Amino acid sequence: MKICCIGAGYVGGPTMAVIALKCPDIEVAVVDISVPRIAAWNSDQLPIYEPGLDDVVKQCRGKNLFFSTEVEKHVREADIVFVSVNTPTKTRGLGAGKAADLTYWESAARMIADVSKSDKIVVEKSTVPVKTAEAIEKILTHNSKGIKFQILSNPEFLAEGTAIQDLFNPDRVLIGGRETPEGNKAVQALKGVYAHWVPEERILTTNLWSAELSKLAANAFLAQRISSVNAMSALCEATGADVTQVSYAIGKDTRIGPKFLNASVGFGGSCFQKDILNLVYICECNGLPEVAEYWKQVIKINDYQKNRFVNRVVSSMFNTVSNKKIAILGFAFKKDTGDTRETPAIDVCKGLLGDKARLSIYDPQVTEDQVQRDLSMKKFDWDHPLHLQPMSPTTVKQVSCVWDAYEATKDAHGICILTEWDEFKELDFKKIYDNMQKPAFVFDGRNIVNSDQLREIGFIVYSIGKPLDAWLKDMPAVA
């Protein structure tokens, strides 16, 4: 059997590498039109950072795992074609700011129809709005020249930073197909691939729409939990409660459970906001404004949390950060990944830059080029392939990126911790304090430092959802 995956990104690359590792009898090709991206997959420096990914790729590359720019050749030869291309939020036209832009998806489908000489199973791997499969099916059948295509939905449920573990040992694999004899046969074929290593009871089969909607629903529920605990964090600060204690107490209820209850500066990542906006749009299109409004609140609270954090920083520092150096520790949207898509750090940095702060940024996995691109890009532009993104015309002059936390914090007035990298817990804060301007502030957006110890050193500390320092009470954040 031959498998081809169109799109060599965060989903396509790791997923196909693991399939190749677990199914030595299957030849797997990952194709992409981006020459530099494929070159990186074929080099020692992979284009994405993911713990464990290097080992998997090195074991299979050149044996039964291939990365290529010969898109049409590999699609033509494949029995199963996974489509894992970008589905950004539309920035203009009908549904702008909410609907998914299926341009890349449609061109992939037309290309599959053009080059195919034999029957194929086409698998949706990207997160797509409900009923995309129907649209893709129409494109394929109207251009099929007598070739039969079966469409399956097989959404990914990977968490960045643990993607390889998630692939090795998934909670569930979801496969949605048409409820026809041909559809069932296609579902069984894909099920056979996963069954090489995933126990049968964890491979769930549904109809197409259920599979498509399950992905959006799962992300909406996860994001909703984060917004719920973040909403509580604001109340905790106002009342003197401690959000960590509250989270622990409610997480002990087995119906709620402890996961995704950490208060923070906000959620990020490529999917949560995009998928909820998509859900909102689908609800509106189906005449369900109340449901749409309900899910919109999850994003509103997330935006509120980021604004609240910026307001807290500015108000604590005598209501101005103009020309003050502020250290930003962490730029990725969470630890153990270099991914900055929709990271809360972007909005926090932009908020501080709006008040004319000077920022010194350190993240162990994010390059200066990436930071500059993120800070000068328009909303939603990040989700288009790199060669179609606008070149950043100006670098943001008030931003410098450094390669260690001590350099970032030297002579700074304040420190904002925006990613929960483990190394930030081990820093020598006494040394940092001695090299900072006074009063020295720490704004912990991830609740990872020991605030009592920091206060003993002399810092003024703000931790999300924790009882406020006397200093912060005297300088309330003005909304």
Side-chain angles (χ1 to χ4, degrees):
M1 183 192 270
K2 288 190 175 180
I3 289 178
C4 172
C5 174
I6 303 171
Y10 276 92
V11 174
T15 306
M16 293 303 121
V18 169
I19 288 178
L21 181 72
K22 299 290 190 181
C23 312
D25 52 326
I26 297 176
E27 187 179 300
V28 182
V30 183
V31 296
D32 201 296
I33 52 176
S34 165
V35 176
R37 173 164 281 193
I38 291 297
W41 278 109
N42 283 317
S43 74
D44 286 339
Q45 190 64 49
L46 302 185
I48 60 177
Y49 170 72
E50 191 61 58
L53 177 62
D54 270 24
D55 293 345
V56 176
V57 170
K58 287 194 174 105
Q59 282 179 64
C60 305
R61 197 169 53 191
K63 292 180 189 145
N64 68 328
L65 174 65
F66 304 93
F67 295 94
S68 168
T69 51
E70 293 182 85
V71 179
E72 297 184 359
K73 167 185 180 289
H74 288 288
V75 169
R76 189 179 303 116
E77 292 172 0
D79 304 295
I80 301 179
V81 180
F82 285 84
V83 183
S84 184
V85 296
N86 299 51
T87 48
T89 306
K90 283 181 81 168
T91 49
R92 53 174 67 91
L94 189 63
K98 282 183 288 207
D101 179 349
L102 296 178
T103 311
Y104 306 120
W105 235 112
E106 184 175 332
S107 60
R110 288 181 184 279
M111 184 270 296
I112 293 169
D114 278 351
V115 306
S116 294
K117 301 262 193 293
S118 56
D119 295 354
K120 296 202 187 316
I121 297 171
V122 178
V123 184
E124 290 179 337
K125 200 70 191 153
S126 337
T127 305
V128 289
V130 185
K131 300 280 180 161
T132 302
E134 201 163 45
I136 303 305
E137 206 167 46
K138 284 177 181 153
I139 291 167
L140 290 170
T141 43
H142 282 284
N143 294 283
S144 67
K145 311 187 278 279
I147 289 165
K148 298 216 165 24
F149 294 101
Q150 279 300 321
I151 314 288
L152 301 179
S153 171
N154 173 219
E156 55 79 23
F157 295 105
L158 305 179
E160 280 178 53
T162 58
I164 299 299
Q165 269 330 104
D166 296 344
L167 284 161
F168 281 172
N169 186 22
D171 290 342
R172 77 301 203 190
V173 170
L174 185 57
I175 303 172
R178 285 268 184 211
E179 292 165 309
T180 61
E182 301 79 24
N184 285 333
K185 202 171 149 204
V187 168
Q188 292 309 316
L190 184 54
K191 193 173 175 180
V193 173
Y194 285 110
H196 280 73
W197 79 96
V198 180
E200 177 112 11
E201 66 276 7
R202 289 199 199 169
I203 304 176
L204 316 181
T205 56
T206 66
N207 71 28
L208 267 175
W209 323 137
S210 300
E212 288 182 325
L213 188 54
S214 296
K215 169 65 181 172
L216 295 183
N219 276 347
F221 274 57
L222 289 170
Q224 180 194 40
R225 275 180 79 104
I226 297 173
S227 280
S228 296
V229 77
N230 282 344
M232 283 297 160
S233 76
L235 186 57
C236 286
E237 286 169 34
T239 57
D242 181 331
V243 75
T244 317
Q245 295 172 351
V246 174
S247 297
Y248 184 72
I250 60 176
K252 278 292 181 197
D253 184 326
T254 50
R255 295 165 304 174
I256 296 171
K259 292 183 176 170
F260 269 69
L261 287 181
N262 292 326
S264 69
V265 62
F267 60 74
S270 60
C271 291
F272 283 3
Q273 174 160 306
K274 182 171 82 173
D275 289 357
I276 293 173
L277 289 171
N278 218 320
L279 195 58
V280 166
Y281 184 66
I282 294 165
C283 293
E284 288 172 350
C285 291
N286 283 289
L288 302 169
E290 292 83 358
V291 182
E293 209 45 51
Y294 175 76
W295 288 110
K296 254 188 221 167
Q297 291 302 320
V298 174
I299 292 177
K300 279 191 183 156
I301 286 287
N302 197 47
D303 289 339
Y304 162 75
Q305 188 76 341
K306 291 181 282 193
N307 289 337
R308 209 167 72 76
F309 188 83
V310 172
N311 289 346
R312 184 68 77 187
V313 173
V314 177
S315 65
S316 306
M317 298 169 78
F318 313 103
N319 231 4
T320 174
V321 289
S322 180
N323 218 19
K324 290 178 183 171
K325 176 177 171 180
I326 295 182
I328 305 290
L329 297 186
F331 197 82
F333 82 92
K334 66 175 183 183
K335 72 172 185 175
D336 294 340
T337 174
D339 193 352
T340 61
R341 294 177 294 177
E342 294 286 355
T343 171
I346 294 174
D347 285 336
V348 170
C349 289
K350 282 183 172 174
L352 294 170
L353 288 166
D355 210 294
K356 298 195 172 60
R358 286 184 301 120
L359 304 182
S360 184
I361 300 176
Y362 166 63
D363 186 294
Q365 286 295 334
V366 183
T367 62
E368 171 143 31
D369 179 54
Q370 187 60 52
V371 169
Q372 289 288 0
R373 199 179 5 241
D374 286 332
L375 292 178
S376 48
M377 227 186 294
K378 285 201 199 74
K379 211 169 170 50
F380 305 128
D381 273 351
W382 57 268
D383 206 5
H384 293 269
L386 207 54
H387 62 285
L388 295 177
Q389 286 175 13
M391 290 307 291
S392 54
T394 52
T395 54
V396 184
K397 292 195 182 44
Q398 282 171 291
V399 171
S400 66
C401 292
V402 295
W403 278 107
D404 105 329
Y406 299 103
E407 185 56 36
T409 53
K410 191 167 174 256
D411 288 327
H413 287 259
I415 300 171
C416 296
I417 302 173
L418 300 184
T419 312
E420 70 282 19
W421 287 102
D422 291 337
E423 66 181 75
F424 297 157
K425 298 174 188 171
E426 312 300 325
L427 293 171
D428 179 347
F429 278 100
K430 177 78 179 85
K431 176 178 164 186
I432 287 175
Y433 180 78
D434 290 341
N435 288 316
M436 282 176 68
Q437 301 282 340
K438 309 294 181 297
F441 296 86
V442 171
F443 302 95
D444 185 359
R446 297 287 179 175
N447 286 350
I448 60 167
V449 298
N450 182 326
S451 37
D452 291 338
Q453 279 178 3
L454 263 54
R455 287 187 184 114
E456 275 170 33
I457 293 170
F459 284 104
I460 293 157
V461 184
Y462 165 67
S463 297
I464 287 191
K466 302 282 185 96
L468 296 177
D469 268 18
W471 179 288
L472 298 168
K473 285 187 186 145
D474 293 343
M475 305 248 181
V478 188

